Each structure stands twice: as structure tokens, then as C-alpha cells.
Amino acid sequence: MSPSKSAGEFLEIDGREVRVSSPEKVVFPQPGVTKLDLVRYYLAVADGALRGAAGRPMVLKRFVKGIDHEAFFQKRVPENHPDFIDTATLHYARGTSAEEAVIRDAAGLAWVINLGCLDLNPHPVRAEDLDHPDELRIDLDPMPGVEWSQLVDVAFVAREVLDDHGLIGWPKTSGSRGIHILVRIAPDRDYKQVRLAAETFAREVENRAPGLATARWWKEERGESVFVDFNQNAKDRTVASAYSVRPLPDARVSMPLAWDELRVCRPEEFTVATVQERFAERGDAHAGIDDAVGSLDALLALADELGPAEKAPRSANGGDGSGRRVSAMPLIEVARTKTKPEALEALETWKAQHPDVVALLHPADVLVDGMRGSSSLWYRVRVNLQHVPEGDRPAQGPLLADYDPWAGKAWPGST
């Protein structure tokens, strides 16, 4: 059947029929990638993409309005899902639960992409055991001002730490600015233990690469370093898995690599257009990951040696009485917005109001953070005034935008 906006395109995939609606819809205008192109891309790399996502419950991150608009996060599988989509019920910290989609094959990949998903966001557990992760996820997140070479240096320090603790890491580009390192682990530890192992790992990387890497959770304290984001191993967190297409104008891909490729490759080389050819020629660089299962015993033993991580101070009774964390940095908040363009617009307005202050800021002093709301991201803009003389620091004023992502939302147990 030929593509049409009314009937769509029906694909026969391993004996299953999958409908692609609006197949000619252009998803990435710059390279001219259509929705059907995306489906065919995932089918071409299905062996690798399923290695990272199959058998795991996943959050559906849907870009139904295109890459220029915020995605919304759908935890619950659509009621009318086909019978080749499995499900698993996850229970969340807030007391809620969701029956999430579990794909098993290439037809499942095509079905997910047809919903408007670009990247795949599976949990680090298998559907058969939702309480014990079988994947340790290392997210190396460069702060503004950090070059690729520094990021790669930290990745190799991370590899040394893994080697010293009996673990094998498999690197991939995040599809944005960072590097992910995936580690298969025996599913014999709960989320709390896995997160402790990840935090211990991050602290050890920081100890071996001071100034280059940091395990400090609070963004304003990191400086121009690579953050080893251990909290990606907390329950409820997901990251884009291997071969995921990211919402960047060039249709960039989160690309699995061999270690010796990290220093010679750049993230922008890997797009929907280039990865299919590479995959056809070389196959999956992570083909052996499921045969490299390790234990967290050594990292957890190191956790005992290092002792508890330093906790951020909280406001005392003599403070604001909230009990909230108190930053050691002189922060001011500029705006809270629904979208990133609105956040950047508010930031530019603030900069225009304070040109003398802007001249003293370092790249990592400007903090534009995507924050997870109930079903989508919202954005917070802050400025760290640590490099501005105390007498020249502007005071906290009214927010230039004050979006409330929880307005009108009701949580379990609320009245």
C-alpha cells in the first residue's frame, strides 16, 4: 500500500502488521526525515536497539507536535495497544502505579515510533523482575565550557574505576553533549543498593580526576567539570537507550562505540542518515554486553570504606523554617517557564538588565535546568553570582516568569 495521510502505511514486520499513520509527516525538517523514515531507521538497527530496550518497561516520550515543542511523558500504555506489546505494572514513590509498555521485537519498535516517540526510554530492570536492576547507568554530563576532550578523559578514568572493581563498561554518545557508559550487573541488588554503588563510583571518579570530574549533586557547585550523574540510577529514572534518535535538528543518534573510537569520533557524526550505513557494515558495538555481567560487591565494599557522602546543609530553625537545602553559592532565580525558548528569552531579558554582571560570569554560572513535571518538562533559570564581587551582586527580585507546573494537579492522598 502506498503512503497516504488517510490510510497510513501498513508494514509487514516478522509476520506482524504495523500501521504507520501520517508516514510523510516531516519530523526533522533540516535533513528532511519523515515519520516513515524514522520507523525504517529503527527497523534497520533493530538488533542493536532491542538489545538496549527489549524486555524492559519504558516511559513513552511522545513528540506529537514535533521536535520544536516539548514532549510529554506517558507512563501508561495506551489501552488499544496491539497484542504483541507486553506490559508491566510499576509502582512509584508517590504511591502511584502505571502499567507501562514492554516491547519485545521489531514490530514493537515500529509501534512505539508511530506514537510519536523519537528516543527509547526503558527502565534499568527487566519486566520479569521490577525490583532488581540489571544495568548500572553512568551518565557523564559536561557542564557549560567543558570540551569533548575533557569528557573523554573522564570517560577513561571511569573505565579504570570499573576495571578495578570487576566491571565492564560499554560507552555510547548520549546523542546530545554527554557520554553514557552502560554496565550489565547481576540482578541481585535493589534500587537503593544500585544507587549507592553508582554514587560511590562517582565519588571515586572525582577522587581520581579532581577538577575534571565531580560527584556534587548541586549544579551550582560543579564548576566547569564533568558531572558523574549517579542519580540516573534512582528508581523511576530512565535514560535514552542505544540507537535512540534525539530531538536535535540534525536527527542525532545515541551511538554505541568501542572504547578506541571515543577519542576520534564526535557526537555530531552519528545521525539517522549515517548510522544505518555504519550498522549495516559493522553491526552493533555493544553486541557482547549481555555476556559481560558483573557484580556490585566491590563497589559496595568501597562505599563502606568511603563512608557516607557529604550532605548539603539545610536551613536551621533560625532560617526560613522550611527545612529545605541551603546552597553554599550566591544564587538568584530568574524565571520558571513552561518551555525552553521561554526560559532563554527570560535569561536574555535578565542579561540586558545586568550587562556589568554578565561580563563577570563564567559559562557554568548560568543554570538553565529542565525539571520533570507531572507529565512534561518545565524550565528553571538561575544565575550563580560566585564570580561577582559581593557589593555588585543584584538582589533576588521578582521572577521574570513564574510558571507553576503543578497548578491544578492533584496527588494521591491530597484533598
Side-chain angles (χ1 to χ4, degrees):
M1 182 182 293
S2 61
S4 71
K5 292 184 179 180
S6 56
E9 175 93 354
F10 287 85
L11 302 178
E12 188 77 16
I13 305 170
D14 298 332
R16 306 185 190 278
E17 186 176 74
V18 180
R19 177 177 177 267
V20 180
S21 60
S22 304
E24 296 178 330
K25 177 182 178 181
V26 177
V27 181
F28 291 91
Q30 182 177 301
V33 174
T34 66
K35 189 176 183 182
L36 185 59
D37 292 334
L38 279 178
V39 172
R40 286 176 170 159
Y41 158 79
Y42 273 104
L43 294 178
V45 300
D47 179 62
L50 290 169
R51 188 168 284 113
R56 303 178 183 276
M58 66 167 58
V59 174
L60 303 176
K61 183 180 175 184
R62 301 178 64 180
F63 290 84
V64 295
K65 295 183 180 180
I67 62 171
D68 294 330
H69 295 80
E70 294 296 330
F72 75 90
F73 296 89
Q74 181 176 336
K75 293 179 179 178
R76 290 171 176 80
V77 64
E79 291 185 2
N80 60 343
H81 62 273
D83 57 9
F84 56 81
I85 299 297
D86 289 342
T87 65
T89 301
L90 278 75
H91 296 273
Y92 292 95
R94 285 197 178 98
T96 60
S97 64
E99 187 180 12
E100 298 192 5
V102 179
I103 64 172
R104 302 284 185 182
D105 53 24
L109 272 176
W111 178 81
V112 165
I113 304 310
N114 182 59
L115 292 178
C117 298
L118 301 181
D119 44 20
L120 308 174
N121 289 270
H123 290 270
V125 293
R126 303 284 179 174
E128 294 74 21
D129 185 354
L130 301 176
D131 296 319
H132 300 94
D134 73 332
E135 187 169 83
L136 180 73
R137 294 173 171 180
I138 299 166
D139 181 5
L140 303 182
D141 184 11
M143 292 295 289
V146 171
E147 300 293 335
W148 178 255
S149 59
Q150 178 179 337
L151 183 63
V152 172
D153 287 343
V154 172
F156 276 91
V157 174
R159 185 189 189 187
E160 292 176 2
V161 175
L162 291 173
D163 288 346
D164 290 347
H165 293 85
L167 297 167
I168 299 175
W170 301 78
K172 68 182 182 72
T173 65
S174 70
S176 181
R177 297 183 62 240
I179 291 174
H180 295 162
I181 303 174
L182 306 178
V183 183
R184 286 288 192 268
I185 56 174
D188 55 6
R189 303 285 183 172
D190 61 23
Y191 270 101
K192 184 177 180 180
Q193 293 171 308
V194 173
R195 185 184 182 280
L196 175 60
E199 183 178 21
T200 302
F201 171 85
R203 293 170 66 190
E204 181 63 13
V205 172
E206 180 181 36
N207 289 340
R208 297 191 189 191
L212 294 180
T214 181
R216 292 184 177 271
W217 177 243
W218 305 107
K219 193 172 182 179
E220 68 270 16
E221 298 177 358
R222 299 175 196 162
E224 293 181 9
S225 61
V226 175
F227 175 45
V228 187
D229 189 353
F230 55 88
N231 213 46
Q232 296 292 12
N233 295 274
K235 190 174 184 179
D236 304 351
R237 290 294 184 98
T238 62
V239 297
S241 59
Y243 297 98
S244 285
V245 181
R246 307 311 303 275
L248 296 177
D250 58 358
R252 196 171 301 184
V253 168
S254 179
M255 186 66 200
L257 297 172
W259 280 102
D260 59 6
E261 294 181 288
L262 276 183
R263 294 197 185 279
V264 296
C265 292
R266 293 295 182 272
E268 59 270 19
E269 297 176 28
F270 306 111
T271 67
V272 166
T274 63
V275 168
Q276 294 180 70
E277 181 178 354
R278 173 189 162 101
F279 191 90
E281 293 176 351
R282 307 187 190 184
D284 182 17
H286 287 189
I289 190 171
D290 289 322
D291 298 322
V293 178
S295 168
L296 293 181
D297 290 352
L299 275 180
L300 292 173
L302 178 61
D304 291 336
E305 294 177 23
L306 294 180
E310 181 182 356
K311 300 299 181 182
R314 294 184 177 272
S315 60
N317 291 335
D320 64 8
S322 67
R324 294 190 295 258
R325 169 189 172 268
V326 176
S327 177
M329 295 295 178
L331 289 174
I332 60 172
E333 189 170 7
V334 173
R336 300 180 182 184
T337 67
K338 185 176 182 179
T339 67
K340 190 170 185 179
E342 290 172 326
L344 297 177
E345 181 180 355
L347 176 61
E348 291 306 312
T349 299
W350 184 89
K351 286 181 175 181
Q353 294 171 350
H354 304 281
D356 294 340
V357 174
V358 172
L360 300 173
L361 299 177
H362 292 200
D365 290 339
V366 177
L367 310 171
V368 181
D369 302 320
M371 313 290 287
R372 184 68 69 89
S374 60
S375 61
S376 61
L377 291 179
W378 62 280
Y379 291 85
R380 179 179 63 179
V381 183
R382 296 175 298 161
V383 177
N384 187 349
L385 302 174
Q386 62 179 325
H387 296 109
V388 180
E390 188 170 355
D392 297 331
R393 294 171 183 170
Q396 175 68 59
L399 298 181
L400 296 179
D402 193 3
Y403 170 70
D404 182 358
W406 294 281
K409 304 291 184 182
W411 302 108
S414 64
T415 58

mmCIF file of all heavy atoms in Angstrom, residues 325-342:
data_model
loop_
_atom_site.group_PDB
_atom_site.id
_atom_site.type_symbol
_atom_site.label_atom_id
_atom_site.label_comp_id
_atom_site.label_asym_id
_atom_site.label_seq_id
_atom_site.Cartn_x
_atom_site.Cartn_y
_atom_site.Cartn_z
ATOM 1 N N ARG A 325 17.096 22.542 51.636
ATOM 2 C CA ARG A 325 18.534 22.664 51.465
ATOM 3 C C ARG A 325 18.929 24.124 51.305
ATOM 4 O O ARG A 325 18.253 24.912 50.661
ATOM 5 C CB ARG A 325 18.959 21.887 50.221
ATOM 6 C CG ARG A 325 20.395 22.157 49.805
ATOM 7 C CD ARG A 325 20.685 21.526 48.459
ATOM 8 N NE ARG A 325 21.988 21.956 48.004
ATOM 9 C CZ ARG A 325 22.200 23.008 47.232
ATOM 10 N NH1 ARG A 325 21.183 23.737 46.835
ATOM 11 N NH2 ARG A 325 23.416 23.345 46.856
ATOM 12 N N VAL A 326 20.088 24.475 51.880
ATOM 13 C CA VAL A 326 20.640 25.814 51.734
ATOM 14 C C VAL A 326 21.871 25.737 50.846
ATOM 15 O O VAL A 326 22.804 24.999 51.123
ATOM 16 C CB VAL A 326 21.025 26.419 53.102
ATOM 17 C CG1 VAL A 326 21.684 27.778 52.925
ATOM 18 C CG2 VAL A 326 19.806 26.540 53.996
ATOM 19 N N SER A 327 21.879 26.463 49.738
ATOM 20 C CA SER A 327 23.028 26.439 48.834
ATOM 21 C C SER A 327 24.175 27.231 49.433
ATOM 22 O O SER A 327 23.982 28.275 50.065
ATOM 23 C CB SER A 327 22.651 27.025 47.466
ATOM 24 O OG SER A 327 23.790 27.048 46.629
ATOM 25 N N ALA A 328 25.388 26.728 49.215
ATOM 26 C CA ALA A 328 26.573 27.451 49.648
ATOM 27 C C ALA A 328 26.947 28.537 48.651
ATOM 28 O O ALA A 328 27.844 29.341 48.924
ATOM 29 C CB ALA A 328 27.740 26.472 49.823
ATOM 30 N N MET A 329 26.280 28.575 47.525
ATOM 31 C CA MET A 329 26.583 29.537 46.477
ATOM 32 C C MET A 329 25.582 30.696 46.476
ATOM 33 O O MET A 329 24.424 30.518 46.853
ATOM 34 C CB MET A 329 26.562 28.848 45.107
ATOM 35 C CG MET A 329 27.634 27.801 44.919
ATOM 36 S SD MET A 329 29.291 28.532 44.936
ATOM 37 C CE MET A 329 30.296 27.051 44.765
ATOM 38 N N PRO A 330 26.021 31.879 46.038
ATOM 39 C CA PRO A 330 25.108 33.031 45.963
ATOM 40 C C PRO A 330 24.239 32.962 44.709
ATOM 41 O O PRO A 330 24.571 33.508 43.657
ATOM 42 C CB PRO A 330 26.062 34.226 45.915
ATOM 43 C CG PRO A 330 27.305 33.698 45.259
ATOM 44 C CD PRO A 330 27.416 32.263 45.708
ATOM 45 N N LEU A 331 23.112 32.282 44.822
ATOM 46 C CA LEU A 331 22.234 32.052 43.681
ATOM 47 C C LEU A 331 21.078 33.039 43.674
ATOM 48 O O LEU A 331 20.560 33.412 44.726
ATOM 49 C CB LEU A 331 21.643 30.644 43.742
ATOM 50 C CG LEU A 331 22.566 29.456 43.481
ATOM 51 C CD1 LEU A 331 21.803 28.180 43.742
ATOM 52 C CD2 LEU A 331 23.073 29.483 42.058
ATOM 53 N N ILE A 332 20.685 33.435 42.477
ATOM 54 C CA ILE A 332 19.407 34.113 42.309
ATOM 55 C C ILE A 332 18.632 33.362 41.236
ATOM 56 O O ILE A 332 19.209 32.778 40.314
ATOM 57 C CB ILE A 332 19.559 35.607 41.925
ATOM 58 C CG1 ILE A 332 20.313 35.761 40.602
ATOM 59 C CG2 ILE A 332 20.219 36.396 43.029
ATOM 60 C CD1 ILE A 332 20.304 37.188 40.099
ATOM 61 N N GLU A 333 17.325 33.347 41.396
ATOM 62 C CA GLU A 333 16.461 32.685 40.429
ATOM 63 C C GLU A 333 15.873 33.738 39.505
ATOM 64 O O GLU A 333 15.390 34.784 39.965
ATOM 65 C CB GLU A 333 15.354 31.910 41.140
ATOM 66 C CG GLU A 333 14.547 31.022 40.207
ATOM 67 C CD GLU A 333 13.614 30.077 40.946
ATOM 68 O OE1 GLU A 333 13.498 30.211 42.179
ATOM 69 O OE2 GLU A 333 13.002 29.213 40.281
ATOM 70 N N VAL A 334 15.914 33.450 38.204
ATOM 71 C CA VAL A 334 15.467 34.408 37.199
ATOM 72 C C VAL A 334 14.051 34.106 36.727
ATOM 73 O O VAL A 334 13.218 35.001 36.600
ATOM 74 C CB VAL A 334 16.440 34.427 36.002
ATOM 75 C CG1 VAL A 334 15.895 35.293 34.869
ATOM 76 C CG2 VAL A 334 17.812 34.907 36.445
ATOM 77 N N ALA A 335 13.766 32.833 36.457
ATOM 78 C CA ALA A 335 12.467 32.515 35.869
ATOM 79 C C ALA A 335 12.146 31.041 36.000
ATOM 80 O O ALA A 335 13.048 30.194 36.133
ATOM 81 C CB ALA A 335 12.433 32.916 34.395
ATOM 82 N N ARG A 336 10.842 30.739 35.929
ATOM 83 C CA ARG A 336 10.330 29.380 35.776
ATOM 84 C C ARG A 336 9.370 29.410 34.592
ATOM 85 O O ARG A 336 8.433 30.205 34.587
ATOM 86 C CB ARG A 336 9.597 28.915 37.040
ATOM 87 C CG ARG A 336 10.470 28.899 38.271
ATOM 88 C CD ARG A 336 9.704 28.442 39.496
ATOM 89 N NE ARG A 336 10.533 28.486 40.682
ATOM 90 C CZ ARG A 336 10.150 28.061 41.886
ATOM 91 N NH1 ARG A 336 8.916 27.567 42.044
ATOM 92 N NH2 ARG A 336 10.968 28.138 42.915
ATOM 93 N N THR A 337 9.627 28.559 33.615
ATOM 94 C CA THR A 337 8.851 28.640 32.382
ATOM 95 C C THR A 337 8.380 27.267 31.932
ATOM 96 O O THR A 337 8.929 26.231 32.333
ATOM 97 C CB THR A 337 9.665 29.284 31.244
ATOM 98 O OG1 THR A 337 10.748 28.401 30.901
ATOM 99 C CG2 THR A 337 10.212 30.642 31.651
ATOM 100 N N LYS A 338 7.404 27.274 31.053
ATOM 101 C CA LYS A 338 6.860 26.026 30.517
ATOM 102 C C LYS A 338 7.758 25.440 29.447
ATOM 103 O O LYS A 338 7.863 24.218 29.313
ATOM 104 C CB LYS A 338 5.462 26.277 29.956
ATOM 105 C CG LYS A 338 4.745 25.035 29.470
ATOM 106 C CD LYS A 338 3.326 25.353 29.016
ATOM 107 C CE LYS A 338 2.589 24.096 28.574
ATOM 108 N NZ LYS A 338 1.196 24.384 28.155
ATOM 109 N N THR A 339 8.423 26.305 28.659
ATOM 110 C CA THR A 339 9.235 25.825 27.542
ATOM 111 C C THR A 339 10.648 26.393 27.621
ATOM 112 O O THR A 339 10.894 27.404 28.270
ATOM 113 C CB THR A 339 8.627 26.227 26.190
ATOM 114 O OG1 THR A 339 8.700 27.656 26.046
ATOM 115 C CG2 THR A 339 7.176 25.784 26.093
ATOM 116 N N LYS A 340 11.551 25.725 26.926
ATOM 117 C CA LYS A 340 12.938 26.189 26.924
ATOM 118 C C LYS A 340 13.099 27.522 26.202
ATOM 119 O O LYS A 340 13.840 28.390 26.675
ATOM 120 C CB LYS A 340 13.851 25.130 26.307
ATOM 121 C CG LYS A 340 15.333 25.454 26.496
ATOM 122 C CD LYS A 340 16.210 24.283 26.103
ATOM 123 C CE LYS A 340 17.679 24.579 26.425
ATOM 124 N NZ LYS A 340 18.546 23.425 26.068
ATOM 125 N N PRO A 341 12.448 27.745 25.050
ATOM 126 C CA PRO A 341 12.561 29.069 24.423
ATOM 127 C C PRO A 341 12.126 30.197 25.350
ATOM 128 O O PRO A 341 12.748 31.266 25.369
ATOM 129 C CB PRO A 341 11.647 28.957 23.193
ATOM 130 C CG PRO A 341 11.688 27.510 22.831
ATOM 131 C CD PRO A 341 11.730 26.800 24.162
ATOM 132 N N GLU A 342 11.088 29.979 26.138
ATOM 133 C CA GLU A 342 10.654 30.997 27.093
ATOM 134 C C GLU A 342 11.712 31.216 28.156
ATOM 135 O O GLU A 342 11.958 32.353 28.592
ATOM 136 C CB GLU A 342 9.339 30.573 27.754
ATOM 137 C CG GLU A 342 8.138 30.592 26.818
ATOM 138 C CD GLU A 342 6.909 29.979 27.456
ATOM 139 O OE1 GLU A 342 7.048 29.029 28.257
ATOM 140 O OE2 GLU A 342 5.794 30.449 27.138
#
